Amino acid sequence: MEVGKFLRYLDELEEIQRPTEFNYPFFYQSTPLAECAAQDLMQRIEQDDFNAHNFIAENANELSRGKMFGVLVVEDQEGKLAYLSAFSGKVGNSNHIEGFVPPVYDLLSADSFFTEEYAVVSDLIEQVNQLQKHPDYIALRKEYHALMDAKQVKVNFLKQKAKDNKLFRNAQRKEAEQVLTTEEYHHLEQELAQKSIADKLQLKHTQQAFSQQIEEIKAKIEIFEQKLKALQALRAEESKTLQRKIFEHYKFLNANQEQASLLDIFKDSQLDQPPAGAGECCAPKLLHFAYLNHLKPLAIVEFWWGDSPKSEIRKHKNYYPACQSKCKPILGHMLEGLKVQENPLIAIPSLDKEIEILYEEEEFLVINKPSGLLSVPGKVLKDSVQTRMEALYPDSKDHMIVHRLDMMTSGVMLVAKSKRAHKQLQSQFAKRKMQKRYIALLDGILKWQEGDIDLPLRVDLEDRPRQIVCFEHGKPAFTHYEIIERKKGKTKVYFYPKTGRTHQLRVHAAHASGLNIPIVGDDLYGTPDTRLHLHAERIELYHPITNERVVFTAPCEF
């Protein structure tokens, strides 16, 4: 493979100071070297048709597919700077685009096992589909359901008829008691009893006749369904075998030139197996190519090009960190032997961030949480509102935190000092008796004065802790907003959340179906800044002891 055709040399790169550490890939921070290369790649993308891949729709009826691109600035064996380019997955149904690094393993290559073995799986899928569409199978199922419906109608009719006959017989008995002799009445009773038995026998025989027909049809259906189950089991087994073989062939190098397959990498992760598409993202492709060709990685960045997906939040030309579920385990291996920056989130100092107590009494207090301080301890960072409050009030440590704010969100928080207050405050949150107001600074001009956002949310299983919009499995999330002011290309708003979903205000602000303008400083859904410009400014609630309606506010610093 000719390495030179994948390297792009720029004079501008040589003018930028070379970093001493590789940038941490899971938290985006401005990296001049990588961004210089990214800007050059963006210009190239604008001039290429990429196999007619449509990144941006020109009208509502046009199908578009945005794509993640990445650049890796490297030092070649002569010490010169250049950059490599990659795209996630495929573009225009192809793994190969001129000037972009190839996949780590090309499933579609001529000598790959994939095409032949996938044909076996495809054939089984087709057999299942054909059997499910077989005219006899469809006809039998229709006949079965028709018989079940007919049985229900007939049985209901006979039951109602028997009920009506019983009422009529009771009326006959009542009338006969007045006019018939004892002997005549006895004969009538026998006659009526026979009619009752006849009704019951008719119902029984009807049910038996239908049941016999239904069982005969079920037996015929079962023949088809046994074949279906056998084919589906075989398809599942063949798919599993093929998937495992794919995972075994995806092998990644690290800076120490050590190789590991996807199965090796994910065996100790929280996932049972590698997720679909693992290894197809930009970062693994770029680093593997660099190691394979003895190029020294210096800086990496990924950016989104094109329209945003329906669920996720991706902005055209915005930079994004590597994903968590697919890339983090892989890059954990690939970055071994490379000097990498410390996780900036861990490096964020919170010890100098003071908690302001806004109000305090015997059983609860109200604080102003600073941006950059966790509400509760994390897996790595332990400094938090909870740990500090427990240190101040050791007798209350089992029942203090009533609700949470995101680490980068500042503002009003309630802290309980007694079990009674904790229970009462939590109950108000659960029953939505509290009213909260946030102030946010949006990174753009919002044209509407006020409105409501209704977008259900759930966690992005492939990229925690990100949240995505999901109308099928998401939890309801409602937000009302009002404009405070528009100034210098930005918009300050009030947010009134009616529900309390994770990242609700951040997603409702940034998503294309929401306000389509991220909050300033949002490192997950927008562009990082010195802080997230989101502040819990006001909370209204019932006093947990006196039950009076009270309001607490925290001044906003932006």
Side-chain angles (χ1 to χ4, degrees), residues 58-317:
E58 294 183 3
N59 58 68
N61 298 321
E62 201 170 68
L63 180 65
S64 64
R65 292 167 293 168
K67 178 68 62 176
M68 195 71 79
F69 286 84
V71 295
L72 176 67
V73 180
V74 296
E75 186 179 275
D76 68 13
Q77 294 181 37
E78 296 178 0
K80 295 180 181 179
L81 294 186
Y83 77 85
L84 300 168
S85 309
F87 51 83
S88 63
K90 299 180 180 65
V91 169
N93 293 320
S94 175
N95 283 326
H96 299 277
I97 299 291
E98 185 178 352
F100 289 82
V101 300
V104 174
Y105 178 74
D106 188 1
L107 291 173
L108 304 180
S109 65
D111 59 348
S112 171
F113 64 89
F114 178 77
T115 303
E116 183 178 340
E117 295 188 22
Y118 184 69
V120 175
V121 177
S122 296
D123 181 61
L124 288 169
I125 292 172
E126 182 60 25
Q127 288 184 54
V128 169
N129 290 337
Q130 289 299 320
L131 197 55
Q132 288 173 332
K133 296 175 183 177
H134 195 286
D136 291 347
Y137 180 55
I138 293 172
L140 284 168
R141 287 178 61 84
K142 284 183 178 178
E143 187 178 356
Y144 170 78
H145 290 297
L147 271 173
M148 290 293 290
D149 291 341
K151 177 185 176 182
Q152 189 67 44
V153 170
K154 186 67 174 178
V155 166
N156 288 343
F157 170 76
L158 291 177
K159 284 182 177 179
Q160 185 61 47
K161 179 184 174 184
K163 186 177 179 181
D164 293 341
N165 288 343
K166 183 178 180 181
L167 291 173
F168 181 70
R169 288 193 296 272
N170 288 339
Q172 281 184 292
R173 289 189 183 95
K174 192 171 182 180
E175 183 180 347
E177 285 177 350
Q178 306 298 323
V179 297
L180 297 181
T181 64
T182 302
E183 185 177 350
E184 289 173 332
Y185 186 81
H186 177 70
H187 285 301
L188 177 64
E189 273 288 1
Q190 288 180 326
E191 182 183 333
L192 295 178
Q194 289 299 316
K195 288 182 178 180
S196 175
I197 292 170
D199 284 345
K200 291 176 181 177
L201 286 174
Q202 185 182 16
L203 176 61
K204 180 181 178 181
H205 292 155
T206 299
Q207 288 176 319
Q208 288 176 340
F210 271 109
S211 295
Q212 183 177 348
Q213 292 180 69
I214 288 168
E215 287 303 315
E216 289 173 359
I217 292 173
K218 280 177 69 176
K220 294 176 182 178
I221 291 173
E222 185 65 20
I223 294 171
F224 278 96
E225 294 192 339
Q226 287 296 332
K227 290 179 181 178
L228 273 173
K229 286 178 183 177
L231 283 171
Q232 288 167 338
L234 183 58
R235 179 190 63 185
E237 186 60 35
E238 290 289 344
S239 295
K240 185 178 179 181
T241 301
L242 177 58
Q243 188 71 74
R244 185 174 182 85
K245 197 168 182 178
I246 292 170
F247 293 153
E248 288 172 345
H249 278 73
Y250 269 82
K251 296 179 180 178
F252 301 85
L253 288 170
N254 62 20
N256 296 325
Q257 291 295 305
E258 297 165 336
Q259 195 176 68
S261 72
L262 280 175
L263 289 177
D264 296 329
I265 290 169
F266 279 88
K267 67 181 179 182
D268 296 324
S269 73
Q270 295 179 343
L271 303 173
D272 293 334
Q273 63 176 8
E280 291 294 323
C281 296
C282 297
K285 291 165 75 171
L286 289 165
L287 286 168
H288 182 76
F289 186 87
Y291 295 142
L292 193 64
N293 294 283
H294 305 288
L295 302 168
K296 181 182 177 182
L298 295 180
I300 193 169
V301 73
E302 297 182 45
F303 61 88
W304 184 261
W305 188 269
D307 291 336
S308 176
K310 297 294 184 184
S311 297
E312 302 169 81
I313 294 173
R314 293 286 186 264
K315 302 293 183 182
H316 183 50
K317 296 186 179 181

Side-chain angles (χ1 to χ4, degrees), residues 48-56 63-65 91-93 97:
D48 198 314
D49 71 350
F50 283 92
N51 294 345
H53 186 101
N54 194 22
F55 295 106
I56 301 174
L63 180 65
S64 64
R65 292 167 293 168
V91 169
N93 293 320
I97 299 291

Side-chain angles (χ1 to χ4, degrees), residues 497-510:
K498 307 301 180 185
T499 50
R501 308 302 176 203
T502 302
H503 298 177
Q504 176 175 319
L505 301 181
R506 298 166 69 176
V507 175
H508 279 184

